[in-house]
Amino acid sequence: MKIKDAVLVALVASNIAMDLNAQVKPQPIPQIVKKDGRFALFVDGAPYLMLGAQVHNSSTWPATLSQVWPAMAFLNVNTVEAPIYWEQFEPKQGQFDYSVVDLLLAQARQHHIRLVILWFGTWKNGSQHYMPEWMKLDPERYSHVIDKNGDLADSPSPFATASLEADKTAFTVFMRHLKAADPQHTVIMIQVENEAGTWGSLRDYSPPAQKLFEAPVPPEVLSAMGVKSGSPAPIWQEAFGPEAEVNFHAWAVAKYVGQVATAGKAAYPLPMYVNAALRDPLKPGAPGSYESGGPTDNVLPIWKVAAPAIDILAPDIYQSNPVAYLKELELYHRDDNALFIPETGGAANARFFFSALGLGAIGFSPFGMDYTHGHDTAPGSRQQQEFDAYAMNYRLIGPMQREIARLNLEGKLKAVAEEQGKPTQVLPFGDWNAAVSYGASREGQGAGNAEPTGRALVAQLKDNQFLVTGFFCRIDFRPAGTAEQRKSGNIVDGTGQTPSAQIDGKWQHRQFLKVEEGTFENGVFKFQRIWNGDETDWGLNFGAEPVVLRVSLATY
Ligand code: DGJ
């Protein structure tokens, strides 16, 4: 080989090595970041908005994964939520099968999609159905909840030490494998168990559980629930009356799940969350009318103190009542809890993705979004309508998900969905109010859409510049008056084509300096055209197409 050729070969080889290094360049581990009371999920060191969808329960198998990816492509997701099954992972005690998780990782990477893995361990919807056979066949050792009548419930006992140890071991092995197999952090978060808790029995009535129920409530639980201790400290019944049994079960289940999470995090500390089967947020029924033991809204403080390794308590929202849906979002949007919706469904609920963003959500994910179950892709079919409704959200937000997550963390973003009987909404941004109206005619304020499908998002980029987008709505801006006027509520709004306000006795009229339509590419707004004339004379109208505007305002 000539010297020149040898140098070339060496150069090519070193470039290949550099490329490989670039491919495995270590990125920071995903984490939940809190700043000024707001949250973001950081992925590769920057805020990331999880545009997710969850597969059906039995879809993470080599035979069915091929029916997952085309659905996810249609939906424009950036993250798939997929279960890994304990029964598959540890078919014989101490023997672990990594084949499914490895295949899932490989296929997700091929499709450039991130993963949230759901650890279907001790609990699945309150039952022990995903425990391996060797556990199912030994209910003496891996004990069930004993109900009030002394019968075995279809639910694992949170006091079963052998089950806890087995789950901790399996989950730790799983997380250790993930750490080694996933240096590029394809997996960004882990769900520990699935809707942990118990249906049909309020708690475990086994003798050891009964003994604990009659013992003093741990002081941290009393303090979390705002109940005064005494001397002697109260037992559960004294402290909580009719709520004693659900509170006790929540504490027991949270302790167990918290220990599983702690063990897994010691191997590989990805963010971890627990999902909840909810109770009616508007008219909560008595204990027994909802799953006992999971992080329902009434026991969130107990879960927070009993399971500190769990980063997020997350609501599975299947409400068809929009008022109840919005209430659930509020209940899980707390100073100690990032809002994250790991399961939801129904075409009509797709608009609440915007409401969730308005409350700073770090992610959103409809359930059962794959092509198993004989999915009917015919236009207008119920299933396809649901797919369409969620896909349009992600098609719009996908190209700017990083910006949206960052603006939300910085407190600069507001977003809303249409509510029945509320054809207008106002989003205040200091000197400017963004006025949203639904079903607006050319000169009218709006009477609401025939079906409430409207959604709007506005984010402040500079003092007088906004990112504006939405579906089936009109958005305009109005001077908001001086800080004093806003405080006193003494603002005279002008009506008519140009929104105006009387500020210090003088009329100030909104003026569009420039309304730019564009798209985001790699975090940069790429200008496409200026809207003016008919496109701006009656406010900025959004239909079914994904349209993003950068709006610069002034007054005259
Ligand atoms: C909620 C559960 O968490 C999911 O795994 C699934 O069973 C759905 N319910 C079914 O609708």
Side-chain angles (χ1 to χ4, degrees):
M1 194 188 298
K2 289 186 198 149
I3 291 180
K4 215 168 108 197
D5 290 344
V7 169
L8 198 65
V9 169
L11 266 177
V12 170
S14 83
N15 278 343
I16 290 171
M18 270 169 60
D19 275 1
L20 285 176
N21 280 341
Q23 274 169 23
V24 292
K25 188 173 155 240
Q27 289 286 0
I29 186 168
Q31 57 171 327
I32 307 286
V33 171
K34 186 176 183 191
K35 190 177 143 200
D36 303 330
R38 291 177 294 272
F39 294 93
L41 169 62
F42 271 54
V43 173
D44 299 338
Y48 176 91
L49 176 63
M50 190 190 132
L51 307 173
Q54 186 170 146
V55 303
H56 282 291
N57 288 163
S58 307
S59 298
T60 319
W61 288 99
T64 39
L65 275 176
S66 59
Q67 292 166 70
V68 166
W69 307 113
M72 296 304 163
F74 179 86
L75 290 164
N76 311 297
V77 305
N78 59 17
T79 309
V80 169
E81 292 181 0
I84 285 293
Y85 319 112
W86 191 1
E87 62 182 351
Q88 178 280 322
F89 185 67
E90 193 182 6
K92 293 210 174 101
Q93 189 164 19
Q95 285 184 18
F96 299 97
D97 178 351
Y98 305 107
S99 61
V100 173
V101 64
D102 287 347
L103 185 72
L104 179 65
L105 287 173
Q107 293 197 0
R109 286 175 196 145
Q110 237 169 30
H111 292 90
H112 306 288
I113 286 179
R114 303 274 182 159
L115 292 169
V116 167
I117 288 190
L118 321 176
W119 173 246
F120 279 14
T122 298
W123 280 274
K124 166 66 175 75
N125 297 18
S127 297
Q128 67 293 332
H129 296 178
Y130 283 85
M131 277 185 183
E133 262 180 49
W134 50 268
M135 295 180 75
K136 282 185 182 148
L137 291 172
D138 194 355
E140 286 285 312
R141 185 167 164 69
Y142 305 108
S143 39
H144 290 219
V145 157
I146 308 283
D147 71 15
K148 230 178 181 161
N149 306 317
D151 196 11
L152 264 61
D154 186 17
S155 186
S157 169
F159 299 106
T161 330
S163 308
L164 172 62
E165 288 312 314
D167 198 342
K168 275 165 58 182
T169 302
F171 188 57
T172 304
V173 170
F174 175 72
M175 292 305 292
R176 200 177 292 141
H177 178 74
L178 215 51
K179 183 179 182 189
D182 190 29
Q184 56 270 70
H185 307 304
T186 299
V187 179
I188 57 174
M189 192 152 58
I190 301 285
Q191 178 186 293
V192 190
E193 318 295 346
N194 190 85
E195 293 192 349
T198 300
W199 290 96
S201 182
L202 290 182
R203 64 175 174 93
D204 192 353
Y205 294 84
S206 65
Q210 188 59 28
K211 202 165 157 212
L212 282 170
F213 186 66
E214 286 164 11
V217 180
E220 69 276 13
V221 173
L222 289 177
S223 135
M225 293 298 274
V227 174
K228 271 207 195 117
S229 191
S231 187
I235 64 170
W236 289 85
Q237 195 63 52
E238 291 166 347
F240 299 116
E243 302 288 315
E245 304 198 281
V246 287
N247 289 0
F248 174 74
H249 201 46
W251 170 73
V253 175
K255 273 259 173 226
Y256 183 122
V257 178
Q259 289 176 78
V260 175
T262 303
K265 275 193 168 176
Y268 183 33
L270 280 179
M272 293 191 186
Y273 73 94
V274 166
N275 63 332
L278 304 174
R279 56 180 205 154
D280 185 333
L282 302 176
K283 279 198 206 132
S289 62
Y290 55 94
E291 187 183 26
S292 180
T296 45
D297 67 86
N298 47 327
V299 295
L300 296 177
I302 297 182
W303 267 84
K304 286 288 174 189
V305 289
I310 297 296
D311 300 281
I312 302 175
L313 304 173
D316 291 348
I317 316 185
Y318 289 97
Q319 292 287 351
S320 53
N321 173 353
V323 181
Y325 198 110
L326 293 171
K327 183 75 190 170
E328 296 293 10
L329 292 178
E330 269 172 38
L331 287 169
Y332 286 80
H333 167 236
R334 298 161 49 107
D335 187 52
D336 61 359
N337 198 55
L339 181 63
F340 169 54
I341 298 87
E343 285 185 41
T344 190
N349 286 339
R351 70 190 195 276
F352 294 127
F353 167 63
F354 280 67
S355 314
L357 287 181
L359 292 173
I362 62 158
F364 196 79
S365 173
F367 171 83
M369 308 303 273
D370 62 42
Y371 292 153
T372 63
H373 285 236
H375 181 91
D376 181 359
T377 51
S381 76
R382 192 191 54 77
Q383 280 174 321
Q384 194 51 40
Q385 275 180 15
E386 187 177 14
F387 268 55
D388 290 342
Y390 288 94
M392 73 191 291
N393 286 341
Y394 294 173
R395 186 164 54 241
L396 174 68
I397 300 297
M400 53 182 178
Q401 60 92 353
R402 294 274 189 184
E403 285 66 39
I404 296 295
R406 178 182 55 77
L407 288 162
N408 231 339
L409 180 63
E410 290 169 1
K412 294 184 174 154
L413 182 150
K414 294 183 197 288
V416 285
E418 181 174 2
E419 294 171 56
Q420 196 92 47
K422 246 199 209 178
T424 60
Q425 287 160 320
V426 173
L427 310 178
F429 286 93
D431 290 345
W432 292 100
N433 282 334
V436 182
S437 49
Y438 303 104
S441 62
R442 189 172 160 96
E443 47 293 302
Q445 273 293 309
N449 290 305
E451 291 294 326
T453 48
R455 3 194 154 162
L457 183 151
V458 180
Q460 190 154 26
L461 301 174
K462 295 183 189 162
D463 282 354
N464 297 312
Q465 192 184 66
F466 295 86
L467 181 77
V468 185
T469 189
F471 290 118
F472 311 118
C473 68
R474 170 182 294 176
I475 302 176
D476 206 336
F477 291 84
R478 190 170 62 219
T482 60
E484 236 165 62
Q485 281 179 305
R486 292 200 289 273
K487 212 166 148 199
S488 65
N490 187 19
I491 302 172
V492 182
D493 286 333
T495 49
Q497 189 175 348
T498 307
S500 319
Q502 226 177 50
I503 296 178
D504 294 335
K506 276 201 198 133
W507 282 106
Q508 298 240 350
H509 309 279
R510 179 274 292 143
Q511 175 163 229
F512 286 128
L513 272 188
K514 203 194 272 181
V515 176
E516 301 164 275
E517 182 180 348
T519 53
F520 273 86
E521 277 171 37
N522 301 322
V524 179
F525 182 80
K526 296 273 177 194
F527 166 85
Q528 286 172 335
R529 64 167 174 162
I530 289 180
W531 278 22
N532 208 335
D534 291 346
E535 278 65 56
T536 59
D537 279 348
W538 300 95
L540 311 169
N541 290 298
F542 297 88
E545 290 308 309
V547 173
V548 179
L549 301 178
R550 186 167 68 179
V551 179
S552 301
L553 300 168
T555 54
Y556 61 89

